[in-house]
Amino acid sequence: VTEDDTTQPLGFKEVPAHYAGERETVDKMRDACAGDYEFAVACDMMALKYRDRSGRKTQGDAGKELWWAQMAAHVRGQGEDPRAYRGPSHAPYERPRRDSLVLDSGFLRDVEAWGHGDSADLEAGIIEAARQSTAGSFRGWERDSRLLKYLYTNKHSTPFEFAGLTIEVKAPIFVFRQWHRHRTQSYNEVSARYVEIPSDFYIPTVYRLMADGGANKQAQGTGAKLDEVAASAFQRKILCRYEELDADYKAAIQDGVPKELARLMMGVGQYSQMRATANLRNWLGFLTLRHDPHAQWEIRQYAIALHGVLSARFPQTMALWDGGTP
Ligand SMILES: Cc1cc2nc3c(=O)[nH]c(=O)nc-3n(C[C@H](O)[C@H](O)[C@H](O)COP(=O)(O)OP(=O)(O)OC[C@H]3O[C@@H](n4cnc5c(N)ncnc54)[C@H](O)[C@@H]3O)c2cc1C
């Protein structure tokens, strides 16, 4: 089977022969991208390329378009890996940790982390800050893991303020409204006074709409049971309302209404984007509240993504956090 075999709807059945012994382009693309968000968009662009040239260049472009579209969906967590049928020889796609796609159109991206102090190790500055009291410095993790644990367990928290992280987040406005209650982070958000609001709204899935809040009182409905039909009717209603609002917003801007006033009609499901920065101590405080099942499911998805980024950057501290807040 070759990659031009049109009988295979997904394009490449086996590793294409011209890649023999080499990494495939898709893997090189994944490495070149900062994370899921960029990689999914790159896959979209490949699908676009094959759609545009389909029937005009080589046989099998329609299959390739489908293959890249499926890879894009897979990276977004919405379908099977198009290479899965290759069997055990196929190394599955692993999500990189630098950024994550969250909800239907949001993301959380690691911009910058600090905390290495005088050492190359990102968490060493925490130890160095603690050792100021004895005029000492970082001695390597074989010895200093114990000190880190001691600091964490005994709530000697200020050394954890010598490390930190800046992230970029795209989330619905109602998530930002909860997020901005955390006063120890610094924020800068895109301004709808300067920038036209994009047509980007959060649409919860039918199953999210039907989810039972369990013991979480804030997540509970009236007790009436929402079935799949009613949930999808409500979902369609949200979508129609968003589309209507979006058309009215764009028309108002065309008519000369200033952006700062045209936005008044937009709802809290509208996506927005911000940068947030905080020291590690405060990120842990945020996680404690927003990674918890009592937090609303949507902000919790961002807390889970943040947990991934923090674990990649600060593995020793996050292992302590995972072991339980002292
Ligand atoms: C599940 C859940 C449900 C919630 N429901 C509601 C709700 O119904 N209505 C509502 O209004 N809010 C609600 N909140 C928001 C909540 O009340 C807090 O505002 C939010 O969680 C931020 O917590 P924080 O003040 O500890 O965090 P931060 O602002 O990040 O502060 C971190 C810590 O710094 C210290 N600190 C910061 N500022 C001050 C200050 N001015 N004075 C003294 N100490 C300070 C405190 O020790 C604080 O814990 C909810 C939060 C959660 C997690």
Side-chain angles (χ1 to χ4, degrees), residues 275-325:
R275 280 199 181 196
T277 192
N279 64 48
L280 187 52
R281 178 187 182 179
N282 285 318
W283 280 128
L284 296 182
F286 176 80
L287 275 193
T288 299
L289 291 167
R290 301 300 183 180
H291 196 276
D292 187 273
H294 288 98
Q296 181 166 344
W297 184 84
E298 280 77 9
I299 195 167
R300 196 156 177 251
Q301 303 316 298
Y302 287 89
I304 290 167
L306 175 67
H307 179 279
V309 168
L310 287 171
S311 299
R313 291 294 211 169
F314 305 105
Q316 310 257 1
T317 308
M318 291 308 294
L320 294 166
W321 190 84
D322 289 341
T325 311

Side-chain angles (χ1 to χ4, degrees), residues 16 59 111 225 238:
Q59 287 266 307
V111 173
K225 189 86 192 105
I238 301 178

Side-chain angles (χ1 to χ4, degrees), residues 239-306:
L239 181 60
C240 292
R241 189 65 49 86
Y242 280 155
E243 284 180 350
E244 232 173 72
L245 289 172
D246 191 46
D248 288 346
Y249 171 77
K250 290 201 167 78
I253 289 185
Q254 283 294 317
D255 290 346
V257 177
K259 288 195 269 304
E260 65 180 5
L261 294 174
R263 66 175 166 175
L264 297 190
M265 59 178 70
M266 304 313 277
V268 293
Q270 172 70 47
Y271 272 98
S272 183
Q273 201 164 315
M274 68 166 178
R275 280 199 181 196
T277 192
N279 64 48
L280 187 52
R281 178 187 182 179
N282 285 318
W283 280 128
L284 296 182
F286 176 80
L287 275 193
T288 299
L289 291 167
R290 301 300 183 180
H291 196 276
D292 187 273
H294 288 98
Q296 181 166 344
W297 184 84
E298 280 77 9
I299 195 167
R300 196 156 177 251
Q301 303 316 298
Y302 287 89
I304 290 167
L306 175 67

Side-chain angles (χ1 to χ4, degrees), residues 46-64:
M46 291 298 282
L48 180 70
K49 166 186 159 182
Y50 286 115
R51 182 161 69 242
D52 271 3
R53 73 179 212 184
S54 182
R56 280 186 272 164
K57 199 168 176 213
T58 48
Q59 287 266 307
D61 283 339
K64 290 177 194 170

Side-chain angles (χ1 to χ4, degrees), residues 178 181-185 218 282 289-290 294-296:
Q178 295 171 344
R181 300 303 304 277
H182 296 270
R183 296 157 290 175
T184 52
Q185 298 175 32
Q218 288 173 302
N282 285 318
L289 291 167
R290 301 300 183 180
H294 288 98
Q296 181 166 344

